[in-house]
Amino acid sequence: MLLKLDPSKIRCEEIRDIETIAADSVYKCYQCGKCSAACPAAPEMDMLPNQVIRYLQLGMYEKILESNTPWVCASCLQCMTVCPKGVDLAKIMEAVRTVHLRRGENKLNINKLDEEYKARAPQIAMIAGLRKFQSLS
Amino acid sequence: MKFKYFPGCTLYTKGKDFDDSGRAAAEKLGFSLEELDEWTCCGATFPLAADNNMALLSPSRALCNTLKAGEDRLVTLCAVCHNVLKRTNHVLKTDEARRNTVVSFLEESYDPKVEVTHYLEVLRDIIGFEKVAEKVEKPLAGLRIAPFYGCLLLRPAAEMGMDDPDRPTIFEGLIKALGAEVVDYPLKAECCGAFQVLNSEATATRCSAEILESARKNGADLIITACPLCQFNLEDRQKEIAETAAAFKPLPVLYFTELLMLALGGGKEAISKDRHCVDPFPALRARGLLE
Ligand code: SF4
Ligand code: SF4
């Protein structure tokens, strides 16, 4: 795939916001791919976790916006456990979600879930779902 | 011996059997769990955003109340509550600026000497697995148990400090103390898909199917866990898994406390009758552990 880089977008504001919220730098990553190899949710992702970081390094924030990867991430911390560079990728995924949610964009309307399912699922599933996918505003 | 105890929302309702068997087993082992006053939901996820102090308030309040009650240890059973409380405590202990923000918002003071301890750690480090073994009235002889750790009990290792997330041994130690056989399998510390069951159901179904198959292939009669969400996903997904995999055989998933209580002489009352959507009784009967 041929990518055209725009140097003015590298370290753009959106990406700095993500780094601030994650309290981590995307530039620590040297693209070894261990995170993606370890990620249990990778089969349902349309972009591998290490690719998310790569696009962020290259200033291609719009690629991340189109991707389902941050929304399929289960915050399981496998990636940060195996990363040789100490990147906390789960925090970066959360930061991407947080930027959306703070703009008031909901990913999931819990009220629309099947009533019967809601009655059987444990509270922790519902509360975690609200926290991860629903905006406060 | 008494410990302040944080049950959490799920153990009050859908995971009531976890709470009941945990408390009953504690009494048999010579300690009791005394519920913390006025606890509120921990939030069910530790906030991974460094500027999300709001989500630290509820778990911080529980930590402050532990101290106010004159205690310096808060015991948990639910792996999710445990992760949230322990990681919040880590923030309060190591990040002075965030601690000041949170604690002053709550109009509390906090001395970071409180420790968050999981029930399994109480068994291993305070009671001792050898003492647990001495109290076993009905050894679970022949029962092949696959321990399932999931993601939250052990990770991140530097903060949770309970066990090695790659080669954990705490469940194994307990299983041996109960006289049962440990089933080792590669996916024991993987993720069941967790809250993704609400958004990407396919992830939770596939992840659960892989874990169940891995345990089954290695000869498990059943799985034990400390996480009500793992317990739910791993059992609840099985209906769907069976629809696509003709050879799939159901595998029960129990709270570790149910089997602990069974081994301590609790009889069939130790095992929940209505909570499990995969009936655990046949597997236990097949090993002669129940009539
Ligand atoms: S494991 Fe770490 S260094 Fe390797 S690609 Fe993933 S984030 Fe980058
Ligand atoms: S935290 Fe997210 S990205 Fe990392 S391994 Fe787990 S599901 Fe994959």
Side-chain angles (χ1 to χ4, degrees), chain A residues 21 40 44 71 73 120-121 123, chain B residues 13-14 50-51 196 206 236:
Chain A
I21 296 172
E44 282 77 29
W71 301 101
C73 164
R120 92 173 181 267
Q123 283 81 349
Chain B
T13 50
K14 309 256 168 74
D51 61 353
Q196 280 299 348
R206 182 189 46 74
D236 190 63

Side-chain angles (χ1 to χ4, degrees), chain A residues 39-41 45 49 73-79 90 93:
Chain A
C39 175
M45 292 172 169
C73 164
S75 301
C76 75
L77 308 190
Q78 277 287 22
C79 47
M93 297 290 187

Side-chain angles (χ1 to χ4, degrees), chain B residues 201-218:
Chain B
E201 197 186 81
T203 304
T205 307
R206 182 189 46 74
C207 287
S208 298
E210 287 171 7
I211 293 158
L212 292 162
E213 193 192 296
S214 171
R216 167 72 81 200
K217 253 196 200 153
N218 287 282

Side-chain angles (χ1 to χ4, degrees), chain A residues 27-98:
Chain A
Y27 293 99
K28 281 196 321 210
C29 165
Y30 58 11
Q31 287 293 300
C32 68
K34 281 189 84 172
C35 50
S36 301
C39 175
E44 282 77 29
M45 292 172 169
D46 55 14
M47 185 187 282
L48 289 171
N50 72 295
Q51 291 177 305
V52 169
I53 294 243
R54 188 63 180 146
Y55 283 124
L56 291 171
Q57 290 173 336
L58 297 175
M60 302 182 121
Y61 179 61
E62 64 291 346
K63 291 268 186 205
I64 313 300
L65 287 181
E66 294 158 12
S67 166
N68 75 357
T69 297
W71 301 101
V72 174
C73 164
S75 301
C76 75
L77 308 190
Q78 277 287 22
C79 47
M80 64 88 78
T81 307
V82 299
C83 177
K85 293 285 287 169
V87 178
D88 199 335
L89 190 43
K91 285 190 174 167
I92 290 171
M93 297 290 187
E94 177 116 329
V96 174
R97 290 189 295 267
T98 302

Side-chain angles (χ1 to χ4, degrees), chain A residues 121-127, chain B residues 7-19 39 41 44 78 80-81 227-229 255 275:
Chain A
Q123 283 81 349
I124 35 178
M126 293 298 156
I127 310 275
Chain B
C9 324
T10 301
L11 268 68
Y12 240 64
T13 50
K14 309 256 168 74
K16 190 79 191 97
D17 309 299
F18 193 12
D19 180 79
W39 60 269
C41 171
C78 169
V80 178
C81 299
C227 176
L229 186 46
Y255 294 117
R275 172 64 200 153

Side-chain angles (χ1 to χ4, degrees), chain A residues 17-18 21 61 94-103:
Chain A
D17 277 352
I18 288 172
I21 296 172
Y61 179 61
E94 177 116 329
V96 174
R97 290 189 295 267
T98 302
V99 167
H100 283 259
L101 298 178
R102 286 186 185 165
R103 284 199 209 120

Side-chain angles (χ1 to χ4, degrees), chain B residues 147-201:
Chain B
F148 184 66
Y149 289 91
C151 36
L152 294 177
L153 196 59
L154 308 177
R155 292 195 286 262
E159 291 176 37
M160 301 311 289
M162 185 192 294
D163 209 342
D164 176 351
D166 291 325
R167 297 193 184 282
T169 57
I170 194 163
F171 265 140
E172 284 78 354
L174 177 65
I175 292 170
K176 284 181 198 151
L178 303 184
E181 284 176 39
V182 176
V183 174
D184 196 17
Y185 64 113
L187 298 191
K188 64 182 171 190
E190 275 295 345
C191 175
C192 68
F195 55 83
Q196 280 299 348
V197 71
L198 302 182
N199 183 51
S200 173
E201 197 186 81

Side-chain angles (χ1 to χ4, degrees), chain B residues 6 22 26 35 84 97 118 129 165-166 230 236 248 255 283:
Chain B
F6 185 95
E35 198 167 319
V84 175
H118 193 267
F129 285 148
D166 291 325
C230 298
D236 190 63
F248 179 80
Y255 294 117

